[in-house]
């Protein structure tokens, strides 16, 4: 009997971990309660309350997708076609809001427009307090959080357009007409896919609707399980969201497909088309940064200045801070350790298998965190060894694996796809085994991509709330849990200080990463996507 190759063994282990950590908790919610009769299929009919939840959830997702795309898509066009100086730093700064915990943005919004907020203090009346806690406010906050996804999707789509098409159009038409007739129609599928992903992430968000008192499915799932201890109702409320996430993920992956027109000239010829737009585009980028990043931080700083003892507040939350740093480091390392092999397998997969993998990755990442938390509890909260794990800090790491392996795998797959297969073939001809080829040929070329995936996983894990607050062992807390519980039980200045601390921890590695990227001029040498290499890899 022939022994399986090292490639088969390693990728199989990664797939098993992905299924066990990311898909099994979701499958448990669907199979066990319905199969055991705990929930009848007739209960899936929407009552009046669930219809209201569905309406609010749909409006939240659609409004966020439209507004975030309206903000992000023009910025993506500017990054792809306007010759900014220090574009890498600008791109990272514009992308920063999506990596900040959404509840930080919502918290600053309440401090700005609440009954005792900055606006009420300034004008002497709570003129916008009612609007602050509303569905439109939640849409505005989430749009400022998720617009970078639309921005990056639009930039990637536009950069892959054959620059010769725009060059030819510019010979017979003004730039704005070439943009409207050539660039935007070709980039539309990527932008639409980004909007669909934003829709799913918005309806999956728990912390922002919770803080702004908007009733949607995710907040009801949390209330049903954490407050009412009604597992059956929590599962019942989760099923419509799971179906929605799967449908939207499938549509988004299908839309993107292989529709991009790609060339190595797209980056050079297209940039000159909009060179005259540098000033207005730069002003728009700065205005977006001011609204999405500077203003929320300034509001938090204003609240933090009212604290009496900075040291006492930090020391009082010292254990939660240490837990967050430790668990985020361990979790990010575990996430990347699995995602490296999943990303490689996705990059080398055939088209149909690759699309199926993309659907599963997008679906698993888009599932609401509260639903993942309920699934993990149902799966691990039982006698024996599983119960021992459930009562330990390992649940935090399992939560991070369940939430962030898919996005890390997608990021690493995007980078690995541009490593030519011929490099591996040459190593195999020379007698090198697959593991040696990976460690000496493939991984060194994608090391910067792996570092980026680790930083993203660390930042997301450090700010994770929805799963952590459900699976945290008794007496243990992370910084996000600490902040969320203090909002109703502590002065705003105390909460603002901890929120600023969390923001600093998130922004520091992003700044270091942006500095490293900006100093490395050769994308190919660092394993970053390069159009010419893309043709070889494909």
């Amino acid at each position: 009997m022939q022994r399986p190759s090292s490639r088969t063994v390693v990728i199989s282990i990664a797939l098993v971990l992905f299924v066990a950590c990311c898909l099994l908790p979701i499958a448990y919610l669907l199979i066990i309660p319905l199969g055991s009769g705990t929930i009848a299929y007739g209960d899936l009919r929407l009552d009046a309350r669930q219809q209201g939840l569905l309406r609010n959830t749909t409006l939240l997702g659609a409004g966020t997708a439209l507004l975030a795309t309206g903000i992000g898509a023009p910025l993506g066009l500017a990054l792809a076609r306007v010759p900014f100086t220090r574009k890498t730093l600008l791109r990272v700064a514009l992308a920063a809001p999506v990596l900040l915990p959404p509840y930080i943005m919502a918290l600053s919004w309440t401090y700005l427009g609440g009954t005792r907020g900055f606006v009420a203090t300034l004008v002497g009346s709570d003129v916008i307090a009612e609007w602050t806690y509303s569905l439109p406010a939640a849409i505005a906050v989430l749009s400022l959080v998720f617009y970078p996804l639309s921005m990056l999707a639009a930039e990637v789509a536009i950069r892959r357009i054959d620059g010769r098409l725009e060059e030819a159009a510019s010979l017979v038409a003004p730039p704005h007409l070439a943009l409207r007739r050539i660039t935007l129609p070709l980039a539309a599928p990527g932008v639409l896919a980004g909007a669909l992903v934003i829709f799913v992430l918005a309806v999956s968000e728990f912390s922002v609707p919770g803080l702004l008192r908007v009733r949607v499915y995710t907040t009801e799932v949390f209330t049903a399980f954490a407050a009412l201890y009604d597992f059956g109702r929590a599962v019942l409320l989760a099923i419509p969201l799971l179906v929605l996430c799967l449908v939207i993920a499938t549509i988004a992956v299908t839309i993107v497909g292989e529709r991009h027109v790609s060339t190595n000239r797209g980056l050079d010829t297209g940039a000159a088309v909009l060179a005259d737009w540098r000033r207005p585009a730069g002003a728009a980028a700065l205005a977006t940064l001011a609204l999405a990043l500077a203003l929320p931080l300034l509001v938090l700083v204003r609240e933090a200045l009212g604290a009496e003892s900075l040291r006492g507040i930090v020391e009082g939350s010292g254990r939660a801070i240490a837990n967050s740093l430790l668990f985020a480091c361990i979790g990010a390392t575990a996430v990347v350790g699995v995602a490296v092999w999943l990303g490689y397998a996705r990059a080398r997969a055939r088209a149909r298998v690759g699309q199926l993998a993309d659907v599963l990755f997008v679906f698993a990442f888009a599932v609401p965190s509260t639903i993942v938390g309920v699934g993990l509890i149902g799966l691990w909260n039982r006698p024996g060894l599983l119960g021992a794990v459930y009562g330990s800090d390992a649940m935090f790491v399992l939560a991070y694996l369940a939430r962030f392996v898919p996005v890390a795998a997608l990021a690493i797959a995007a980078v690995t796809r541009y490593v030519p297969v011929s490099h591996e073939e040459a190593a195999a001809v020379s007698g090198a085994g697959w593991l040696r080829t990976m460690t000496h040929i493939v991984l060194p070329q994608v090391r910067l991509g792996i570092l980026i995936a680790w930083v993203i996983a660390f930042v997301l894990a450090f700010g994770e709330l929805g799963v952590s607050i459900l699976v945290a062992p008794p007496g243990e807390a992370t910084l996000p849990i600490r902040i969320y519980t203090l909002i109703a039980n502590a002065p705003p200045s105390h909460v603002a200080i901890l929120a600023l601390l969390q923001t600093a921890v998130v922004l520091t590695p992003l700044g270091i990463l942006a500095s490293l990227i900006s100093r490395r001029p050769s994308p190919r040498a660092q394993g970053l996507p390069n159009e010419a290499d893309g043709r070889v890899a494909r």
Side-chain angles (χ1 to χ4, degrees), residues 259-398:
R259 299 188 183 189
H260 295 300
V261 183
S262 182
T263 177
N264 62 328
R265 300 187 67 222
L267 301 181
D268 297 326
T269 58
V273 174
L274 303 179
D276 295 338
W277 292 23
R278 182 184 300 178
R279 286 190 175 182
L286 292 177
T288 303
L289 280 176
L291 187 60
L293 201 58
L295 180 60
L297 294 182
L298 288 175
V299 171
L300 291 176
V301 169
R302 174 183 175 274
E303 288 293 333
L305 291 177
E308 297 179 357
S309 174
L310 172 62
R311 181 177 178 179
I313 295 171
V314 174
E315 288 181 351
S317 302
R319 183 176 178 83
I321 296 170
N323 282 345
S324 287
L325 290 171
L326 176 61
F327 298 152
C329 285
I330 296 174
T333 303
V335 164
V336 172
V338 176
V340 163
W341 311 109
L342 291 176
Y344 171 83
R346 167 60 188 97
R348 296 295 186 253
R350 296 180 180 179
R352 290 185 179 275
V353 177
Q355 282 199 340
L356 176 61
D358 288 344
V359 170
L360 289 177
F361 288 151
V362 174
F363 167 69
F365 179 63
V367 170
S369 56
T370 51
I371 294 178
V372 176
V374 173
L376 286 173
I377 292 172
L379 199 61
W380 291 88
N381 187 15
R382 55 189 67 246
L385 179 61
L386 295 181
V389 174
Y390 176 74
S392 69
D393 293 337
M395 290 303 298
F396 288 114
V397 178
L398 287 173

Side-chain angles (χ1 to χ4, degrees), residues 148-277:
L149 298 178
S150 178
M151 178 189 76
L152 296 174
E155 183 184 5
V156 169
I158 293 170
R159 281 181 176 272
R160 290 186 175 181
I161 294 174
D162 189 338
R164 290 171 295 186
L165 299 176
E166 295 172 314
E167 189 179 50
S170 65
L171 296 177
V172 296
H176 67 87
L177 188 60
L179 177 68
R180 183 162 58 89
R181 296 290 182 85
I182 303 295
T183 307
L184 296 184
L186 290 175
V191 175
L192 178 58
L196 291 174
V197 172
I198 292 172
F199 176 90
V200 172
L201 293 178
V203 302
S204 302
E205 174 57 31
F206 154 71
S207 60
V208 172
L211 281 175
L212 299 186
R213 306 169 190 172
V214 178
R215 289 179 52 252
V216 292
Y217 268 112
T218 51
T219 58
E220 290 292 305
V221 169
F222 178 81
T223 301
F225 188 82
L228 304 178
Y229 303 102
D230 190 344
F231 184 80
R233 179 165 178 78
V235 173
L236 187 65
L237 292 169
I239 291 175
L241 276 183
L242 291 175
V243 174
L244 178 63
C245 290
L246 181 59
V247 171
I248 296 297
T250 303
I251 294 174
V253 172
T254 303
I255 287 175
V256 174
E258 301 294 335
R259 299 188 183 189
H260 295 300
V261 183
S262 182
T263 177
N264 62 328
R265 300 187 67 222
L267 301 181
D268 297 326
T269 58
V273 174
L274 303 179
D276 295 338
W277 292 23

